[in-house]
Amino acid sequence: MTAASPKTVRADLADALDASRTAREEAERELHRSFALRSRAAEALERTAGRPGLDESERARLRAEYADADRVVAERLAAMAKAQEFERAASVVAHAFEDEATSASPLAAALLQLVGSKRGATARRGALVSGRTAPAARVRSPRPRTA
């Protein structure tokens, strides 16, 4: 297993920071869109509240529409929180590497080795790295984290 150069690690960390920033910005846009859709659904439901002669099936449809919009808002809030968490983590790692890269720090050495092992695993395609079955380049887990 060879270690990657500090220059390579810096480039990878910069790419991770850019990707995490882009993901967070997209999550924010999606959240704002979902807030707007939920607000429209709420207004439509409220407009029908006092209207006499309105079919109850129409009110049920409007309530379901609002419930769907509210569910989407909750999902978008969770996605944005995850994107913000990932962006903070990428920033912390990048700053820590910059602070420690010039010294003989164990943190910098570990990051260099990790990136080197990631590149080796990518080249071998499917070889086990550190006894793990998932590729080392994988950043996100499909399962939500718990405390």
Side-chain angles (χ1 to χ4, degrees), residues 33-87:
R33 282 188 206 119
S34 64
F35 277 141
L37 290 174
R38 182 180 69 178
S39 183
R40 283 187 218 127
E43 288 171 4
L45 186 58
E46 286 176 10
R47 278 193 307 265
T48 63
R51 194 173 356 165
L54 183 68
D55 186 6
E56 186 54 37
S57 64
E58 177 67 12
R59 290 271 304 153
R61 184 190 65 77
L62 291 171
R63 280 193 297 274
E65 209 173 276
Y66 178 80
D68 288 343
D70 193 48
R71 179 189 45 77
V72 169
V73 166
E75 290 170 358
R76 300 289 188 231
L77 278 169
M80 189 169 124
K82 185 176 179 181
Q84 287 173 329
E85 179 183 351
F86 185 75
E87 184 179 20

Side-chain angles (χ1 to χ4, degrees), residues 1-6 9 97 106-121 129-130 136:
M1 214 179 307
T2 61
S5 71
V9 174
F97 180 77
L107 172 64
L111 284 171
L112 288 170
Q113 187 175 5
L114 176 66
V115 171
S117 69
K118 177 184 80 165
R119 291 188 190 288
V129 177
S130 303

Side-chain angles (χ1 to χ4, degrees), residues 125-143:
R125 297 220 192 263
L128 293 178
V129 177
S130 303
R132 292 173 37 190
T133 57
R138 185 174 182 166
V139 177
R140 295 185 179 139
S141 170
R143 291 188 286 173

